[in-house]
Amino acid sequence: MKSFTYTRAETPEAAVAQGAGGARFIAGGTNLLDLMKLQIETPDALIDISRLPLAEIEPHEGGLRIGALAINSDVAAHPHVRARYPMLARALLSGASAQLRNKASVGGNLLQRTRCYFFYDPAAPCNKRTPGIGCAAQGGYNRIHAILGASEACIATHPSDMAVALRALDAVVLTLAPGGDRRRIPLAGLYRLPGDTPQLEHVLAPGELITHVELPPPPPGRQLYRKVRDRASYAFALVSVAAAVAVEDGVVSTAQLAFGGLAPLPWRSAEVEAALIGQPATRETFAAAADALLMDAMGQGHNDFKIPLTRRTLIATLAELTEA
């Protein structure tokens, strides 16, 4: 591991002032420390933000406000989350081992980096790690890689389960930037598609700190988070679906869905929701929604199976949500 300086921030304002020079924030460190050990991340300075007063979980304007330093296990177990946002609780509980959930923070979960094999292998070409040197996953072993939203430069997927649920729930990220500027960023606008610059994964400026995540009032209907993975414990999603669906008189009245394991960011498709809303809650309608989702899907060889797997997972999720 490369040497670095370490300081502990006393206030959010002090943290962002120090971070403006290129230092990295660290809270739980469940992803960053692994990357530093491999010298994939080599920051000159770390700013410990773990003791900042940003760990609250409280009702806010009919919804919920979650501090960026709230621990994943605390969020999953919180009564308001379990009662009103069960898809979020289930996503968090499926996201990692209990030990990691007891350490990882909400803000860190949102900004964790891909688990692409080649990104973690310093000997393999990876445009996300070193721009311009190529992508070993293209034509290589790409079983866990993207079928939607990828580019010729990168086909890695976003690893967070929590972010998928937050995307379906229309979450908003609150930030504090150097100079005191505060932003409200819909989760839909937080992440970047890889395009020609896969190393740029989000829209945050250097030193900009996530302080909170806000959820609007819960959507009507039932909620579900379904995750398909290679093993039941501590595995990233091959495909996941976060869905909230309401049915009135046999017809889908509202639908909010997001998908994990398929794209470089938590994926949401207006076409999928349009294919459901106003239509009868039948297998034929669910199949049409799957057609809309997978219209532009493209496998890379080893991950071709994700296309039929996604279809089956979406249809099964919708069937469970809309059963009498």
Side-chain angles (χ1 to χ4, degrees), residues 127 134-135 138 149-155 194-196 198 298 300:
N127 290 317
C135 172
Q138 299 273 11
S151 71
E152 292 185 1
C154 182
I155 58 172
D196 296 328
M298 183 174 66
Q300 301 288 338

Side-chain angles (χ1 to χ4, degrees), residues 1 6 18 45 63 82 123 128 149 156 191 203 242 246 318:
M1 183 184 291
Y6 168 89
Q18 293 171 288
R82 294 175 62 187
K128 185 181 287 291
Y191 301 109
V203 301
L318 292 170

Side-chain angles (χ1 to χ4, degrees), residues 203-315:
V203 301
L204 301 183
E208 190 169 5
L209 176 69
I210 295 176
T211 61
H212 298 85
V213 173
E214 286 185 354
L215 294 173
R222 300 174 64 190
Q223 299 178 29
L224 182 64
Y225 185 77
R226 183 186 294 266
K227 179 178 181 179
V228 180
R229 47 189 163 174
D230 284 324
R231 59 184 186 276
S233 175
Y234 192 33
F236 294 96
L238 297 172
V239 56
S240 64
V241 182
V245 176
V247 176
E248 297 179 9
D249 298 325
V251 174
V252 177
S253 55
T254 64
Q256 297 177 203
L257 297 94
F259 302 87
L262 304 182
L265 44 70
W267 193 261
R268 190 164 173 183
S269 167
E271 290 77 14
V272 172
E273 294 169 11
L276 291 169
I277 296 173
Q279 299 300 315
T282 63
R283 291 265 174 172
E284 291 74 16
T285 295
F286 305 156
D291 289 341
L293 172 65
L294 297 168
M295 179 172 52
D296 297 321
M298 183 174 66
Q300 301 288 338
H302 295 286
N303 69 347
D304 290 350
F305 74 95
K306 281 193 175 187
I307 297 175
L309 178 62
T310 300
R311 173 179 294 278
R312 293 195 301 271
T313 303
L314 175 57
I315 291 173

Side-chain angles (χ1 to χ4, degrees), residues 1-2 4 24 31-44 46 111-113 119 129 201:
M1 183 184 291
K2 178 185 171 183
F4 56 89
R24 294 294 305 276
N31 185 211
L32 178 59
L33 290 178
D34 287 342
L35 294 171
M36 290 175 65
K37 291 173 185 177
L38 295 170
Q39 297 197 39
I40 294 168
E41 295 268 10
T42 56
D44 293 322
L46 291 183
L111 298 181
Q112 65 182 298
R113 306 199 70 186
F119 175 71
R129 191 181 64 246
E201 298 174 350

Side-chain angles (χ1 to χ4, degrees), residues 144-223:
I144 66 170
H145 288 75
I147 60 172
L148 294 167
S151 71
E152 292 185 1
C154 182
I155 58 172
T157 55
H158 193 274
S160 173
D161 291 282
M162 181 192 76
V164 178
L166 291 178
R167 180 71 184 90
L169 291 168
D170 291 323
V172 175
V173 173
L174 279 61
T175 71
L176 174 64
D181 293 336
R182 294 185 180 271
R183 288 205 287 171
R184 295 177 58 86
I185 307 172
L187 195 70
L190 177 64
Y191 301 109
R192 298 175 184 263
L193 287 172
D196 296 328
T197 55
Q199 75 279 11
L200 302 177
E201 298 174 350
H202 52 72
V203 301
L204 301 183
E208 190 169 5
L209 176 69
I210 295 176
T211 61
H212 298 85
V213 173
E214 286 185 354
L215 294 173
R222 300 174 64 190
Q223 299 178 29

